[in-house]
Amino acid sequence: MKQLRNNVIRAGLGALYFSGAHHLLRPLLSGVGAIFMLHHVRPAREAVFQPNRHLEVTPEFLRATLCHLRSRDIDIVSMDDLHERLVQGRFDRRFAAFTFDDGYRDNLDYALPVLREFDAPLAVYVASDFAEGTGRLWWVALEAVIAKAEQVDVRIGNSALRLDATSPAAKQATFDRLHDWLRALPGDHDLAREIEALCTTYDVDMAALCRSLCLSWAEVKSFAADPLVTIGAHSVSHCNLAKVAEDVAAQEIATSRARIEQALQRPVLHLAYPYGDREAAGMREFGLAATAGFKTAVTTRPGMLFADNAAHMTALPRVSLNGNYQDARILPVLTSGAATAMWNGFRRIAAA
């Protein structure tokens, strides 16, 4: 099903490009700017089974994106500058910001050198447990479990299942089923219990995965010293904030900020909601971010920025640079706003 969805999206992007419709729609749909969302930036991996491929782009694709923005005379700005332009209504020039979720080491190793070539700022949203080396990158752990197994035994509800993992296609189907099941569990503690059981059964060290992929506090401090870099908060544990009690969600937001500020000895004014979709961040979370004093908070809801977004600074949309669609031809489509407008039913603001 997910492969079908990817194929439909790819076909839609291609249709917009080859028809030239994005050129006609750009003046209506491109807005005043965009916030680009990324996770990993690293060289392409050769493994056939890569269910989290959508979360990574190559340095070459990042460079192509930056070249495209420069060719269209779009300013690449920090989140502070983006906030200021929205508040002040300074829209004489279109602008874009680059944001990176979770705090991966490859952001330092591969993304920063490319962004330096263009003198382009970036914001990195750090989940503080990840920087501690104790976080649960459960989607990575699930990939590791299935990659090493030929079958996965799991109990879902009252059913004991044995899922096939003997081929790349079977592994993908098993990953999709288990990923959707884990995301749909009632609470973060349920997800933690189930992924930890799988890791124990299949000998996957989740803490070691976190330490190998994520920036340590020392590396975060080094990263933050670069004048192009803004460090933002991404909660403590990367939980689904909408699924926890309000006081827990508030604590996740506030404690993450406090830990990062203590490590960096500077204010942390920007937030990204974990997962960030409608099921993970809504009006309650937007209010909590505002109450906590964040200047901006970003979702994963797709969309361009319009002047009206100034009234919803803790519910900002983003444009995903998705690893499944690393084709430079789609960049004019993405920056035209046509793709996100179609996804949103041509609504400009989705902040409820």
Side-chain angles (χ1 to χ4, degrees):
M1 184 60 69
K2 288 187 178 180
Q3 185 58 50
L4 175 62
R5 184 183 66 182
N6 289 338
N7 289 339
V8 169
I9 293 172
R10 186 177 291 107
L13 292 169
L16 285 169
Y17 172 78
F18 287 111
S19 69
H22 61 289
H23 292 302
L24 299 174
L25 295 171
R26 183 181 297 277
L28 298 173
L29 304 178
S30 62
V32 299
I35 304 171
F36 289 102
M37 175 180 66
L38 303 95
H39 291 78
H40 293 283
V41 176
R42 58 190 179 191
R45 295 181 291 154
E46 294 182 358
V48 176
F49 175 59
Q50 293 187 52
N52 291 305
R53 188 194 307 268
H54 62 291
L55 296 176
E56 59 185 84
V57 301
T58 65
E60 291 75 22
F61 186 67
L62 176 58
R63 185 176 290 109
T65 304
L66 289 155
C67 285
H68 170 71
L69 295 174
R70 290 291 194 221
S71 74
R72 299 205 59 89
D73 204 25
I74 295 172
D75 293 343
I76 303 171
V77 302
S78 69
M79 288 302 293
D80 283 331
D81 192 6
L82 180 143
H83 173 267
E84 184 177 292
R85 291 188 187 207
L86 282 174
V87 168
Q88 295 179 357
R90 290 196 289 113
F91 307 136
D92 52 313
R93 291 177 60 84
R94 294 190 65 231
F95 52 87
F98 282 80
T99 62
F100 297 77
D101 288 7
D102 299 339
Y104 295 112
R105 187 170 291 111
D106 55 56
N107 296 172
L108 173 62
D109 293 341
Y110 293 105
L112 182 59
V114 175
L115 288 154
R116 278 177 175 157
E117 294 174 21
F118 296 83
D119 195 30
L122 66 155
V124 179
Y125 299 106
V126 173
S128 55
D129 274 358
F130 293 177
E132 296 280 354
T134 60
R136 290 192 305 271
L137 294 149
W138 64 265
W139 54 96
V140 180
L142 181 62
E143 177 178 343
V145 164
I146 297 170
K148 69 189 302 184
E150 294 199 346
Q151 62 187 33
V152 179
D153 295 312
V154 64
R155 179 171 289 277
I156 298 179
N158 295 321
S159 301
L161 303 178
R162 176 162 290 175
L163 302 177
D164 184 18
T166 55
S167 69
K171 288 179 185 294
Q172 183 66 57
T174 292
F175 179 91
D176 291 343
R177 181 168 187 179
L178 294 180
H179 182 279
D180 291 348
W181 166 60
L182 290 166
R183 273 295 311 266
L185 288 171
D188 197 57
H189 61 285
D190 300 298
L191 191 158
R193 180 188 66 244
E194 299 297 344
I195 193 63
E196 286 167 7
L198 282 168
C199 286
T200 298
T201 300
Y202 293 93
D203 194 27
V204 170
D205 187 335
M206 196 152 38
L209 284 174
C210 180
R211 291 191 297 272
S212 70
L213 291 173
C214 295
L215 295 159
S216 67
W217 281 124
E219 290 168 319
V220 171
K221 290 174 68 174
S222 174
F223 205 1
D226 192 291
L228 292 175
V229 176
T230 297
I231 300 296
H234 198 39
S235 83
V236 173
S237 64
H238 200 280
C239 69
N240 184 326
L241 294 170
K243 286 189 175 183
V244 300
E246 184 169 346
D247 61 329
V248 175
Q251 184 178 23
E252 281 273 343
I253 292 170
T255 302
S256 174
R257 179 181 187 177
R259 287 184 182 177
I260 299 168
E261 288 182 337
Q262 182 178 18
L264 302 183
Q265 293 297 296
R266 68 178 67 177
V268 173
L269 301 173
H270 305 280
L271 173 73
Y273 304 104
Y275 309 109
D277 55 22
R278 291 181 179 276
E279 289 71 42
M283 292 298 293
R284 188 191 75 172
E285 290 67 47
F286 303 156
L288 290 174
T291 299
F294 285 98
K295 291 167 64 174
T296 71
V298 294
T299 69
T300 63
R301 299 183 186 192
M304 308 298 284
L305 296 175
F306 295 89
D308 291 346
N309 283 110
H312 306 280
M313 285 295 192
T314 58
L316 296 176
R318 290 189 284 179
V319 176
S320 173
L321 291 184
N322 187 305
N324 288 323
Y325 316 114
Q326 295 187 72
D327 184 342
R329 292 179 300 180
I330 73 166
L331 293 172
V333 176
L334 291 180
T335 56
S336 74
T340 53
M342 292 178 67
W343 182 275
N344 290 324
F346 292 92
R347 290 174 301 158
R348 288 191 170 193
I349 306 295

